[in-house]
């Protein structure tokens, strides 16, 4: 077995070259390249984590914006409903007031007309009274020639008229 | 070449490339085929990891592979060493990928190209022992630097009755001291056995063809099917042995950092 029988002549060479090559691998690759590759991996993992966090934040923000939009929509809707109700109330009140005003005007007109009718009636009654008194006075004077006191005639006429 | 000359051990021979010897302070540090394949492992690993340095936010396939390799070691370290294990990640990374690439290059069937003989660096006890004792030395240095003499409490398991201590402490001590040997031998034996198995079945194929007769080709075909199966198994063993070496080193480092 050369591995054992040759030890005496090759051990120095094996040790020498293995030391050189292993040192080259350790310092040239293990110490120099490996940390750079590790840094690349770490950078990438960090970046992926950062991107995921950013995406999460963006999603949360989108949710918040949507919620705000929804509440804004609700607000606007309720405001619109309120405004609509108010407008309706105002219109109703307006109509009612106008109706009331015109009603009152009509009532006043009616009252005025009634009053006028009553006045005309009174005046007509008075004229009838006067005319009747005149007629009665003239009749009495023509038939009997007695001059009767005018106030007496008036009273009698009034009672007769009141009897109907 | 006659079939009888196939030596399954020949593949493990270490010899200087181009036959040239280099001497340094009286030691023979020739650039051998073993050293050559260590360099090949380093170059391949460097090329592979360089593909992960593009640092793109959306990685390509190569970058994903390199990043997965790094993440794999990181998770192994964080799971098995726990807190304070991050600084050992480069060492575990170097260990795992050096062994993995060396194992895989060793079983690549590149010998079908004439003159090209792959060499499994990790099938040599000299290499695996150096790696194992390096891991063991790191465990000792970290343990004593972090805990001082309290590091010896590693040999005293929690909750064991006092009268058992005279037995348990020597057992724990021996199992601790055996660690580097078991680390080195496990990898060395697994790789050597696999390569010998492949070589033996390969020689059966050649011998079967040369033997002729009715039985020879049958033996050759069966041996070839075995080679396919054993090669698949070897690929698995390559990955498992690298993983076991790195995992055990992580667990030993966990002991050193946290004392159980």
């Amino acid at each position: 077995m050369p591995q054992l029988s040759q030890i005496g002549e090759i051990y120095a060479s094996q040790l020498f070259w293995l030391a050189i090559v292993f040192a080259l691998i350790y310092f040239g690759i293990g110490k120099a390249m490996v940390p750079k590759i590790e840094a690349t991996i770490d950078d990438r993992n960090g970046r992926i984590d950062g991107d995921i966090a950013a995406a999460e934040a963006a999603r949360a923000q989108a949710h918040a914006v949507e919620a705000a939009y929804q509440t804004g929509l609700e607000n606007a809707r309720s405001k619109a409903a309120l405004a609509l109700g108010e407008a309706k109330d105002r219109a109703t009140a307006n109509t009612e007031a106008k109706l009331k005003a015109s009603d009152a005007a009509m009532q006043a007109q009616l009252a005025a007309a009634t009053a006028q009718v009553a006045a005309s009636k009174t005046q007509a009654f008075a004229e009838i009274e006067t005319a009747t008194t005149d007629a009665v006075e003239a009749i009495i004077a023509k038939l009997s020639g007695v001059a009767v006191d005018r106030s007496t005639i008036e009273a009698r006429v009034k009672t007769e008229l009141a009897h109907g | 070449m006659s079939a009888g000359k196939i030596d399954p051990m020949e593949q493990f021979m270490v010899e200087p490339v181009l036959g040239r010897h280099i001497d340094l302070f009286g030691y023979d540090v020739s650039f051998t085929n073993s050293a050559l394949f260590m360099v090949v492992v380093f170059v391949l690993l460097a090329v592979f990891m360089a593909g992960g340095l593009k640092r793109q936010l959306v990685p390509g396939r190569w970058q994903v592979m390199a990043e997965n390799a790094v993440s794999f070691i990181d998770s192994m370290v964080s799971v098995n060493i726990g807190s304070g294990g991050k600084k050992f990640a480069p060492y575990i990374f170097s260990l795992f990928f050096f062994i993995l690439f060396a194992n895989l290059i060793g079983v690549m069937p590149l010998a079908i190209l004439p003159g090209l003989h792959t060499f499994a660096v990790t099938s040599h006890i000299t290499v695996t022992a150096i790696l194992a004792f390096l891991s063991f030395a790191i465990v000792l240095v970290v343990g004593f630097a972090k805990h001082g003499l309290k590091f010896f409490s590693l040999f005293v398991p929690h909750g064991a009755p006092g009268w058992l201590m005279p037995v348990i402490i020597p057992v724990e001590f021996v199992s601790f001291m055996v660690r580097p040997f078991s680390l080195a031998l496990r990898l060395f034996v697994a790789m050597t056995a696999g390569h010998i198995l492949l070589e033996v079945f390969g020689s059966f194929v050649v011998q079967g063809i040369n033997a002729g007769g009715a039985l020879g080709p049958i033996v050759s075909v069966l041996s070839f099917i075995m080679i396919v199966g054993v090669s698949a198994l070897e690929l698995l063993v390559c990955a498992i042995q690298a993983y076991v070496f790195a995992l055990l080193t992580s667990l030993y480092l966990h002991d050193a950092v946290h004392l159980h």
Side-chain angles (χ1 to χ4, degrees), chain B residues 82-133:
Chain B
S83 63
K86 193 91 178 78
K87 58 177 174 289
F88 300 111
Y91 176 66
I92 302 293
F93 179 90
S94 308
L95 204 56
F96 178 78
F97 280 98
F98 176 78
I99 294 171
L100 180 70
F101 275 50
N103 289 352
L104 288 175
I105 286 171
V107 293
M108 286 296 128
L110 297 179
I112 55 170
L113 302 173
L116 195 63
H117 292 282
T118 57
F119 182 88
V121 178
T122 42
S123 67
H124 269 261
I125 183 76
T126 36
V127 171
T128 58
I130 291 166
L131 292 176
F133 277 95

Side-chain angles (χ1 to χ4, degrees), chain B residues 116-155:
Chain B
L116 195 63
H117 292 282
T118 57
F119 182 88
V121 178
T122 42
S123 67
H124 269 261
I125 183 76
T126 36
V127 171
T128 58
I130 291 166
L131 292 176
F133 277 95
L134 179 61
S135 290
F136 190 64
I138 290 174
V139 168
L140 288 182
V141 168
V142 169
F144 281 114
K146 207 168 165 64
H147 304 288
L149 290 180
K150 252 193 80 187
F151 185 55
F152 286 112
S153 70
L154 194 63
F155 304 130

Side-chain angles (χ1 to χ4, degrees), chain B residues 158-213:
Chain B
H158 290 296
W163 58 269
L164 264 178
M165 284 305 161
V167 184
I168 282 179
I169 289 173
V171 167
E172 288 279 328
F173 179 73
V174 168
S175 85
F176 182 80
M177 294 311 287
V178 157
R179 282 172 176 185
F181 299 98
S182 69
L183 263 186
L185 280 172
R186 185 182 298 112
L187 179 57
F188 153 66
V189 166
M191 297 319 295
T192 302
H195 283 264
I196 291 175
L197 205 58
L198 284 175
E199 185 91 10
V200 166
F201 279 114
S203 75
F204 284 174
V205 174
V206 176
Q207 282 173 339
I209 292 171
N210 287 353

